[in-house]
Amino acid sequence: MGDYWVAGLALMLVMEGMMPFLFPAAWRETFQRLIQLSDGQLRFMGITSMLCGLLLLYFAK
């Protein structure tokens, strides 16, 4: 089971690194826009992202 956690973490890091590597200007602009969002908007984006991830895990099994 520990191997799955390491593989999941590795895949997350690869996915997180793709945007700044391939499109650094767009990545920087996106973060500048995120800074302007309120806490509630950021929390909504966070919970939406987590729920999508859980749904993907559910359907992957």
Side-chain angles (χ1 to χ4, degrees), residues 13-39:
L13 290 172
V14 169
M15 296 300 291
E16 288 285 331
M18 286 177 73
M19 183 72 169
F21 178 74
L22 295 173
F23 309 105
W27 182 78
R28 188 175 290 113
E29 183 180 324
T30 299
F31 271 89
Q32 288 175 348
R33 288 182 185 175
L34 286 174
I35 291 170
Q36 297 173 358
L37 295 177
S38 70
D39 287 349

